[in-house]
Amino acid sequence: EDLPLLLGASTVPAQYVLPEMLAAFLRQHDGCRYSLRRGDSLQIHEFLSAGTVRIGFVGTALDPANLQYDAIAEDRLVMVTANNRYYQEKKRGGVCGCELLGEPTVAREEGSGTDRTVVSYMRSRGFPESRLKIVARIDNPETIKSMVACGAGVSVLSAMAVRAEVQAGKLLSFEMDEAGLRRTIYMASRKNEAYSELEQQFMRSCRRY
């Protein structure tokens, strides 16, 4: 019997990219099983180097010396706010998300790909991190969305993660700037690793995705 595929995924890929990919692969490979470990991008890299996970899905490439990164999806990061009169007026006024970086902020945890992308974006715009008013750091986007909807603060989150709430009118979404803030979701595998035939088929299937 085939061993289960040992997969690790950070928050956004685990919730919004992998379910469809795994379902498609399972339909083609009857009897295939997988075990999925969740963590932030930093933890998934640690699982990969320890061998507790064989294939990882992450929002940031931290170890190109030892890992191969295949781009499997593109994600946009957007600023989300409560849908109240204050932010409705900003939205009508054509404000960009980067202009809301000084508002009280509910941030992702520091090891997450989302947080790393936001920090490097701020540096590139010359916006000092000290100006961020972080009221909470939370490792679960669902909790962050609820807090933002209640007016606890703004947050920069994956556009995939907030699509339903924005459509339902629970949250407002702002592009970060004219260009939009994009990042890549990667499949990470160890270089020079002997992967089983099933693992190789799975990785090929993800690359085609």
Side-chain angles (χ1 to χ4, degrees):
E1 168 151 344
D2 279 326
L3 293 169
L5 293 166
L6 300 179
L7 311 177
S10 63
T11 313
V12 170
Q15 283 175 305
Y16 310 104
V17 180
L18 273 186
E20 199 178 303
M21 282 172 43
L22 293 175
F25 189 74
L26 290 177
R27 282 196 296 274
Q28 296 161 351
H29 296 81
D30 200 28
C32 165
R33 295 172 302 133
Y34 60 87
S35 141
L36 177 63
R37 292 192 67 169
R38 294 271 305 268
D40 57 35
S41 284
L42 191 58
Q43 287 167 317
I44 300 305
H45 279 84
E46 286 163 3
F47 293 157
L48 276 164
S49 60
T52 44
V53 155
R54 302 269 296 161
I55 303 164
F57 296 87
V58 291
T60 180
L62 298 177
D63 186 11
N66 298 302
L67 299 176
Q68 175 178 329
Y69 293 95
D70 290 287
I72 56 161
E74 189 179 64
D75 190 17
R76 257 176 36 258
L77 293 180
V78 292
M79 175 71 79
V80 290
T81 71
N83 187 359
N84 58 26
R85 186 172 296 157
Y86 174 73
Y87 290 114
Q88 287 163 5
E89 282 180 7
K90 293 207 173 289
K91 184 98 178 147
R92 277 197 296 274
V95 163
C96 287
C98 62
E99 295 171 62
L100 300 176
L101 282 168
E103 302 271 317
T105 297
V106 184
R108 283 284 307 276
E109 76 280 16
E110 289 181 349
S112 77
T114 301
D115 188 67
R116 284 166 184 272
T117 305
V118 172
V119 169
S120 65
Y121 172 77
M122 286 170 54
R123 284 193 191 125
S124 75
R125 302 284 300 220
F127 189 102
E129 275 174 80
S130 56
R131 269 185 57 199
L132 267 190
K133 297 193 194 105
I134 293 180
V135 293
R137 279 197 181 274
I138 299 175
D139 65 0
N140 183 330
E142 298 304 313
T143 309
I144 295 178
K145 289 188 287 190
S146 304
M147 288 185 68
V148 170
C150 294
V154 302
S155 190
V156 179
L157 290 173
S158 154
M160 287 189 251
V162 299
R163 190 179 295 143
E165 289 80 6
V166 170
Q167 283 173 350
K170 290 181 187 162
L171 296 172
L172 292 178
S173 158
F174 295 75
E175 290 294 338
M176 291 304 288
D177 56 34
E178 302 73 37
L181 176 55
R182 297 174 191 284
R183 63 148 183 190
T184 304
I185 304 287
Y186 300 100
M187 173 175 68
S189 52
R190 285 164 67 160
K191 293 178 178 174
N192 313 320
E193 180 73 45
Y195 282 102
S196 73
E197 180 54 37
L198 184 68
E199 287 171 328
Q200 290 178 45
Q201 287 176 341
F202 174 70
M203 290 194 280
R204 280 198 295 272
S205 151
C206 293
R207 287 184 191 114
R208 282 198 299 273
Y209 178 82

